Amino acid sequence: MEEGLINRALKHLVFEKGKDLKEVQQYLLMKFNIEVDNQVLQKRMEKMSNQEKAVA
């Protein structure tokens, strides 16, 4: 199953580049015209962190 744009952006910008959620919001809006609430990004980031911890 392919990852969605939001999850890929989170993984790349937050986990790999160390950017904050505000920059992820701006990236998604400018590049893909997707407006995402900060709380949605926070929840997805937490879920991704928990999944990585469970795998490790």
Side-chain angles (χ1 to χ4, degrees):
M1 185 173 181
E2 187 176 326
E3 283 186 326
L5 289 173
I6 296 172
N7 287 349
R8 277 191 287 182
L10 275 172
K11 188 179 287 185
H12 177 69
L13 294 173
V14 174
F15 294 115
E16 294 174 11
K17 300 262 185 182
K19 306 289 184 179
D20 64 354
L21 294 180
K22 189 73 173 166
E23 292 183 66
V24 176
Q25 281 179 308
Q26 184 176 1
Y27 171 79
L28 289 169
L29 184 61
M30 299 296 284
K31 181 128 180 148
F32 301 107
N33 200 25
I34 297 174
E35 207 169 319
V36 182
D37 190 26
N38 195 22
Q39 291 177 348
V40 172
L41 289 176
Q42 184 68 37
K43 288 242 186 214
R44 286 189 185 219
M45 190 175 74
E46 289 171 7
K47 186 182 276 189
M48 289 171 72
S49 293
N50 289 339
Q51 286 176 349
E52 287 184 16
K53 288 178 187 176
V55 171

